Amino acid sequence: MRALAQFVMRGPLQAGGVAAVTTAIPLLFWIGAAVVGLVILRLGISQGLNIGLWALLPALGWSWFGQDPTALVALLQVMLMASILRTTLSWEKALLAGSFLGIVTGMMLPLLYPDLLNDLVQTGVRFYEEYNAEVANSLGDRLETVIRQTMNASMAGTYLVIGVCVTMLARSWQAGLYNPGGFRAEFHSLRLSPAIAVICVITMVAGPVLGLNSMLLGWAGGLPLFVAGLALVHGLVGRKNLSGQWLVLFYMALVLLGPSLMILLVVLAFVDSWLDIRRRIKPSGPAE
């Protein structure tokens, strides 16, 4: 990946070519988005947008002709978050901007891709009616509505997660080429401010009050807190000079425990926004 990052930074022709080709190839769209993010972070928003046009054309092709908006939404997410990060040097604001775009994406999907969503909903309805009749009977007429909201929120949330991960990849490429160790230090210190943490929590619980998709708002409000929770874990491991095996064990536990550990991370991130847990932990000396 470092060699690829070095290649695309040789000039606009190399960056634009890689961005266009990888976006056009199925399942490689994230590389194109990362290239655009890298150019924005290193050379500025104007040059990044010029390269983004190269990737935008195949992304629009997938979106319009293939009825798959994944590449397009991921590219827009990365361009927005990388631009905010370039301008403000704040992951907090970049994540908040990504969450806002995630909400907009969730609201636009039923309007722009009704057939895609209808097909997914009908598949889900048939699955529950055939293999989980108890749930289907308990929901009754609400079954289709619940599945529709779930599918809509899952799609928008997945695009948001992809956007955040690819933006981080672009930032790590930039640090690897021009500021070794910079992304590690930046991620280890990531912490939401109390005001932003409260906004995220309010967003997560405001769905029923506002009459909006609760799951969609849960994705949008919860992801910044979840990322801050991951940063807290990485920061504590780094501050205590623990080996990388601790992080391997942590991510294995995250896979095995799933939602339970995710909720715990969200809660810890909210508490950390007020208490700054890392500052209260005494750093260890160099590992022997």
Side-chain angles (χ1 to χ4, degrees), residues 57-176:
L57 293 176
L60 286 171
W62 280 111
S63 177
W64 182 260
F65 298 105
Q67 286 294 293
D68 183 1
T70 305
L72 176 61
V73 177
L75 177 63
L76 294 177
Q77 282 278 6
V78 173
M79 291 173 70
L80 174 63
M81 285 190 283
S83 298
I84 296 295
L85 190 58
R86 162 84 183 189
T87 304
T88 66
L89 300 178
S90 170
W91 271 106
E92 178 183 73
K93 294 177 181 178
L95 291 171
L96 206 62
S99 291
F100 175 76
L101 184 55
I103 295 175
V104 174
T105 300
M107 296 175 65
M108 295 300 295
L109 282 174
L111 301 177
L112 298 178
Y113 299 95
D115 294 337
L116 173 62
L117 199 57
N118 287 336
D119 290 342
L120 293 173
V121 169
Q122 293 306 315
T123 301
V125 169
R126 288 195 297 270
F127 174 83
Y128 274 94
E129 289 178 344
E130 293 180 12
Y131 300 103
N132 205 335
E134 293 184 2
V135 174
N137 292 332
S138 64
L139 291 175
D141 295 336
R142 295 182 57 249
L143 177 63
E144 183 173 335
T145 301
V146 170
I147 293 178
R148 184 175 298 277
Q149 290 183 344
T150 302
M151 292 291 185
N152 189 15
S154 297
M155 290 175 66
T158 301
Y159 299 152
L160 175 58
V161 171
I162 293 173
V164 171
C165 292
V166 174
T167 304
M168 288 188 170
L169 175 62
R171 189 64 159 179
S172 69
W173 282 357
Q174 181 195 22

